[in-house]
Amino acid sequence: MQVLKNALRILQCVVISQPVGVSDVARKLDLPKSSVQRTLTSLEDEGWLTRDTAHGGLWVQTSRIWVLAHQGKEIGVRSLAQEPMHWLWERTNENIHLTQMQGDDVVVVDKLESTHSVRVFDPIGTRLPLHVSASGKALLAARSPEGLDAYLQASPAGFTAESLTEERALRAELQRVSLDGYAVNRGEWRSEISGIGVALRLDGDREAEFGLAISVPSHRLHEDQLAEYGELLLEAKHRIEQAMPLGPGAAG
């Protein structure tokens, strides 16, 4: 039983910390490095984990975890989003994310990857707080006043010098998002990752649950691109929402 518990702890550690090495997993979980290595290899053999050659062979999850956990509605949204996501990718050649709000986090649930040699590493399953993500901020801006108050009163954490954590600053930022229709992340979760995102309204009068984003290395996202990428995202958003059986705002 302890072997199984440790295997689940190791799998969870990789999902949260990826890309991550054997030594880091062993240190985080206070387990022998040799035991961690054997377990990682076994999880790789079963298709749960893999080694990412682009990051020196560090361990990352495979899409199998996401597929198992997200059957049903999410699969349908992925299907609707595929063509608009590809349209967006063709015009930017940057990582395109379909995201889902899960509690106070946003999770990457599908993606198209840039062909640039330097690109963002953000595998399916990547999870981060709403206020430091472009699509997450767009989803926050679409929340009910009560839901937004609850989030802001929980004292959002900072991750970089660019993170907005003070309530007044965050409210002002979300007001701008509401006016522009899209949000911008300027290295607020990781300094090397920036992006632009929108919220998708797919369930009538319900609060938005899914988002769409362009994820870009910070050095490649310039101020004069923001309006262009924002307009592209708004067009892709329109295409996805119109693909719903009755379009956005439909009852049901």
Side-chain angles (χ1 to χ4, degrees):
M1 181 63 71
Q2 190 61 44
V3 173
L4 177 59
K5 287 181 179 179
N6 285 341
L8 291 173
R9 291 176 64 209
I10 289 168
L11 180 61
Q12 182 181 46
C13 183
V14 172
V15 170
I16 293 172
S17 304
Q18 61 187 331
V20 66
V22 177
S23 297
D24 283 341
V25 175
R27 176 179 54 79
K28 288 174 184 289
L29 301 180
D30 193 23
L31 292 172
K33 185 176 177 180
S34 58
S35 298
V36 171
Q37 180 64 62
R38 286 195 299 271
T39 302
L40 289 169
T41 301
S42 296
L43 290 168
E44 181 183 32
D45 292 341
E46 294 300 318
W48 297 105
L49 300 177
T50 188
R51 278 172 273 211
D52 181 37
T53 56
H55 286 78
L58 296 179
W59 290 92
V60 297
Q61 73 179 66
T62 67
S63 60
R64 184 173 182 180
I65 296 173
W66 184 87
V67 171
L68 181 66
H70 296 84
Q71 298 295 324
K73 176 184 175 183
E74 293 83 352
I75 301 299
V77 174
R78 286 177 68 199
S79 297
L80 289 175
Q82 278 301 303
E83 187 175 336
M85 287 175 67
H86 189 75
W87 176 86
L88 192 57
W89 176 84
E90 286 180 326
R91 285 154 180 79
T92 63
N93 193 18
E94 299 292 356
N95 286 12
I96 307 301
H97 291 171
L98 179 67
T99 63
Q100 182 185 20
M101 183 168 60
Q102 296 182 10
D104 287 339
D105 294 335
V106 64
V107 180
V108 178
V109 296
D110 201 9
K111 66 175 290 190
L112 295 175
E113 189 156 313
S114 167
T115 62
H116 288 298
S117 57
V118 177
R119 55 186 180 270
V120 173
F121 178 78
D122 42 19
I124 290 174
T126 297
R127 175 185 293 267
L128 59 156
L130 290 165
H131 68 287
V132 291
S133 156
S135 62
K137 285 197 285 187
L139 288 164
L140 270 179
R143 269 194 174 183
S144 67
E146 297 79 14
L148 178 58
D149 287 346
Y151 186 91
L152 296 178
Q153 289 166 11
S155 300
F159 295 84
T160 73
E162 303 301 323
S163 302
L164 298 177
T165 59
E166 197 273 326
E167 181 176 345
R168 182 178 297 179
L170 264 172
R171 286 190 183 277
E173 173 75 357
L174 296 178
Q175 286 179 350
R176 284 193 291 272
V177 172
S178 296
L179 289 172
D180 294 340
Y182 60 85
V184 179
N185 162 27
R186 295 177 173 87
E188 296 161 41
W189 179 52
R190 293 179 179 169
S191 58
E192 70 274 16
I193 301 175
S194 294
I196 306 174
V198 295
L200 302 175
R201 287 197 172 276
L202 304 174
D203 285 323
D205 293 330
R206 288 183 178 182
E207 291 187 5
E209 178 183 351
F210 290 88
L212 187 66
I214 305 171
S215 184
V216 187
S218 295
H219 73 270
R220 204 160 60 228
L221 183 62
H222 306 294
E223 287 297 316
D224 59 1
Q225 294 174 289
L226 297 181
E228 175 191 354
Y229 281 6
E231 289 302 317
L232 289 172
L233 273 165
L234 290 171
E235 174 59 26
K237 164 186 167 75
H238 175 75
R239 294 182 181 207
I240 294 170
E241 291 176 345
Q242 291 302 313
M244 291 297 288
L246 296 176

